[in-house]
Amino acid sequence: MTIPRLLVVDDDADMRGMMTEFLHKHGFIAHGANSRDDIKAALAAGRVDMILLDVMLGDENGVEICRDLRRDEDVPIILVSALSADHQRMAGYEVGADDYIAKPFNPDLLIARVKAVLARTRRAASLSHRRRTKVFRFAGWTYDAKRDEVISPDGYQVSLSRREHALLQALLANPFIPLTRAEIAATLDVTGEGVHEDEASGRAIDMLVGRLRSKIEDDPKAPVMLRTERGVGYVLAVDVTAEDA
């Protein structure tokens, strides 16, 4: 598993050093920065998995920096500030911050929040990955995401609806990862116009899964690929390879 690389942005050298050292002790790679230019240099130099960004940076404002970063970057950002009023928190969320931690904070809380944001954003990235990958292969099947073509092990093309395509793509991007009905519903918004409440209901998702099973399973009543994960949702329980077309 890749070790997360964190960028700690704070113009207080002592605070910056304390945070980077604490993150190192908890298994992260952490580097310090103290300005907008330092952030840009770090992003240009290599992978950054999260930015811990202090709101008050001398003459610079972390909220404004966060807004500017969001124009070009989707890296997770946690704002850190001694300002804890609700309207100040809201200002951070409105410019695209993933979380907001008020100083002084419990160091263990910092670790918990960092892990939670990383888990959430990684899962979202994995779900969105289905839109970029071209060809998936699983259990003898081939799915060409660019052409929206599903080919059976026997070489026959199988017709899927738009929502069945979206469901299959989400499952293929997350093999062996149980997806909740809510996560599946979110993947059905392939147009960016939102999903109708009736389409996102638990019953509607169950019916959609049933239809997909009827097209890819040998015995839809005893599925071996698209399985029910009790108390969670559904999981694609087969190995999947992904490659460019």
Side-chain angles (χ1 to χ4, degrees), residues 8-27:
V8 178
V9 187
D10 197 309
D11 63 344
D12 184 323
D14 290 337
M15 175 62 72
R16 188 170 65 245
M18 180 194 73
M19 290 177 65
T20 54
E21 181 179 357
F22 188 72
L23 290 165
H24 278 304
K25 289 181 179 178
H26 283 78

Side-chain angles (χ1 to χ4, degrees), residues 135 141 162 237 241:
V135 177
W141 290 77
R162 176 182 61 83
T241 61

Side-chain angles (χ1 to χ4, degrees), residues 145-200:
K146 184 176 181 179
R147 295 184 174 88
D148 277 345
E149 290 181 352
V150 181
I151 308 299
S152 73
D154 297 330
Y156 294 100
Q157 184 170 338
V158 177
S159 177
L160 300 183
S161 70
R162 176 182 61 83
R163 297 176 75 238
E164 290 164 356
H165 275 293
L167 170 60
L168 181 58
Q169 289 175 339
L171 293 165
L172 290 172
N174 297 275
F176 298 105
I177 298 176
L179 301 181
T180 67
R181 289 171 176 81
E183 287 174 326
I184 291 173
T187 70
L188 303 182
D189 184 14
V190 295
T191 65
E193 298 174 352
V195 179
H196 192 276
E197 183 177 352
D198 292 342
E199 294 182 313

